[in-house]
Amino acid sequence: MSERAVPYHCPYCGDVDLRPHEVAGEDGSISSPPGTWECRSCLRAFSLRMLGMLNRPTTRR
Ligand SMILES: [Zn+2]
């Protein structure tokens, strides 16, 4: 299981034209923060973050 999830659809407009979000550092270098993506369709940048593991559902009576 990979640690970095790759989104297939924009969560805002549903488009599939997603790329890693690139930000320019103070020294001018371009970097892509982990889990950040941008949609070229609606021009939104967003991040994906795992919040934690869920407990396995238990059967309740
Ligand atoms: Zn979008």
Side-chain angles (χ1 to χ4, degrees):
M1 193 168 124
S2 67
E3 294 198 5
R4 292 181 63 175
V6 178
Y8 293 104
H9 298 276
C10 171
Y12 298 96
C13 73
D15 206 277
V16 295
D17 193 6
L18 303 178
R19 297 149 200 242
H21 180 51
E22 293 181 341
V23 293
E26 293 179 2
D27 59 354
S29 65
I30 301 293
S31 65
S32 180
T36 61
W37 299 85
E38 60 190 37
C39 173
R40 293 297 168 93
S41 182
C42 66
L43 301 178
R44 284 180 170 93
F46 53 94
S47 66
L48 290 182
R49 188 163 71 94
M50 190 177 94
L51 300 176
M53 299 299 292
L54 299 177
N55 291 323
R56 205 172 280 279
T58 55
T59 304
R60 293 184 185 171
R61 296 176 191 168

